[in-house]
């Protein structure tokens, strides 16, 4: 009888440990999904706003379109300086439904007088990668250029057009047609290590944003090449503005 009680206690202990392990695994599972990509944020409090699915035309050796899904993630209250918007777009199916397609790219990811960029360059390349970091721009001009879907969202009560914003944008595409496009819009700057950003930067582009953007670029690339599609968004920790954004910020999203 004692042996049976000991065995039962052992079984319960094993099940309890297994349950704890499963709970931890569940807690670390992806918070959201976009197309083939599981999106994980380091912070809590994100809200998801689905956007209409679309078809994206592609070139290469065949003509056709790719099925694309986009979602907007919002953290913070509208109108507050700590609000962050993250627009994620990814293919939900490959070229021709994943059969026999091939994409090539003509890439030219170069900085200009207003915006910082780094990525690959070339003609008929097998992949395309570009990180873009902008200074403050008026919010409406940025959304017109980079996120027109968002302009219709102020009526949702979750997005405000009150402040100008910074943008950090990373995209990676490969020959199968798989791609991931992540556009981050911030009112307050991200606090990050400046050490990685040693380049001469355009006026108003923050070295902290370049350093953080390189982390995002690596995460986007890893997601595209992984079978799971997991995207671990680097922690987004904003710092309070030292002074209100100037009213004379640039009017174009570049």
């Amino acid at each position: 009888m004692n042996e049976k009680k000991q065995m039962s206690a052992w079984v319960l202990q094993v099940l309890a440990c297994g349950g704890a392990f499963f709970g931890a695994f569940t807690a670390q599972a992806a918070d959201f999904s976009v197309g083939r990509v599981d999106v994980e944020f380091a912070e809590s409090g994100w809200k998801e706003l689905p956007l209409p699915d679309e078809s994206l035309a592609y070139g290469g050796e065949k003509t056709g379109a790719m099925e694309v899904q986009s979602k907007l993630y919002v953290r913070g209250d509208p109108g507050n300086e700590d609000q962050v918007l993250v627009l994620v777009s990814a293919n939900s199916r490959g070229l021709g439904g994943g059969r026999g397609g091939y994409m090539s790219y003509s890439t030219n990811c170069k900085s200009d007088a207003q915006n910082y960029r780094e990525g690959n360059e070339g003609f008929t390349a097998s992949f395309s990668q570009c990180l873009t970091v902008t200074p403050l721009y008026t919010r409406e001009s940025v959304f017109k250029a980079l996120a027109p879907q968002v302009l219709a969202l102020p009526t949702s009560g979750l997005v405000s057009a009150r402040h100008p914003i910074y943008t950090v944008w990373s995209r990676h595409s490969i020959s199968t047609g798989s791609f991931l496009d992540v556009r981050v819009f911030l009112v307050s700057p991200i606090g990050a290590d400046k050490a990685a950003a040693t380049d001469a930067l355009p006026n108003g582009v923050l070295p902290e944003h370049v350093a953080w953007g390189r982390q995002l670029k690596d995460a986007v690339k890893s997601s595209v090449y992984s079978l799971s599609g997991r995207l671990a968004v680097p922690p987004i920790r904003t710092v309070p503005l030292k002074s209100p954004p100037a009213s004379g910020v640039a009017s174009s999203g570049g």
Side-chain angles (χ1 to χ4, degrees), residues 75-84 139 160 162-163 187-188:
R75 191 188 77 195
D77 296 325
N80 287 359
E81 293 180 357
D82 63 348
Q83 186 173 67
V84 181
R139 181 172 289 230
S160 170
R162 177 180 169 188
H163 295 292
V187 177
S188 295

Side-chain angles (χ1 to χ4, degrees), residues 183-194:
R183 308 180 187 198
V184 181
F185 306 98
L186 308 127
V187 177
S188 295
I190 295 175
D193 183 8
K194 298 181 183 181

Side-chain angles (χ1 to χ4, degrees), residues 87-227:
L87 177 62
V88 181
S89 301
N91 60 298
S92 50
R93 299 180 65 189
L95 304 182
R99 299 182 301 275
Y102 181 81
M103 178 84 83
S104 59
Y105 305 89
S106 296
T107 62
N108 184 21
C109 186
K110 290 183 177 181
S111 297
D112 54 38
Q114 290 78 39
N115 307 302
Y116 176 81
R117 297 185 182 90
E118 64 177 41
N120 68 323
E121 300 174 32
F123 183 67
T124 62
S126 61
F127 74 97
S128 174
Q129 181 185 60
C130 195
L131 167 68
T132 301
V133 183
T134 78
L136 279 173
Y137 284 117
T138 59
R139 181 172 289 230
E140 186 172 358
S141 68
V142 169
F143 287 154
K144 281 183 178 179
L146 301 181
Q149 314 97 308
V150 177
L151 290 177
L153 290 177
T155 56
S156 69
L158 294 176
V159 179
S160 170
R162 177 180 169 188
H163 295 292
I165 52 177
Y166 300 98
T167 306
V168 181
W169 169 18
S170 181
R171 181 183 176 99
H172 198 104
S173 309
I174 58 176
S175 60
T176 62
S178 290
F179 79 94
L180 179 57
D181 186 302
V182 180
R183 308 180 187 198
V184 181
F185 306 98
L186 308 127
V187 177
S188 295
I190 295 175
D193 183 8
K194 298 181 183 181
T198 57
D199 313 66
L201 302 177
N203 186 40
V205 173
L206 303 181
E208 295 91 340
H209 286 189
V210 175
W212 185 86
R214 288 170 176 164
Q215 296 178 47
L216 177 64
K217 181 180 71 171
D218 290 344
V220 167
K221 177 181 178 180
S222 177
S223 172
V224 170
Y225 285 106
S226 72
L227 294 177

Side-chain angles (χ1 to χ4, degrees), residues 27-97:
Q28 294 176 12
D31 300 309
F32 307 101
S33 64
V34 180
R36 66 177 292 275
V37 176
D38 289 333
V39 183
E40 298 179 12
F41 290 103
E43 311 85 8
S44 59
W46 291 92
K47 299 181 178 71
E48 179 184 275
L49 295 177
L51 300 171
D53 292 352
E54 58 181 344
S55 295
L56 178 69
Y58 62 86
E61 296 177 350
K62 297 185 178 183
T63 58
M66 187 185 312
E67 295 179 21
V68 175
Q69 188 175 63
S70 298
K71 292 182 180 178
L72 180 69
Y73 298 100
V74 181
R75 191 188 77 195
D77 296 325
N80 287 359
E81 293 180 357
D82 63 348
Q83 186 173 67
V84 181
L85 308 178
V86 180
L87 177 62
V88 181
S89 301
N91 60 298
S92 50
R93 299 180 65 189
L95 304 182

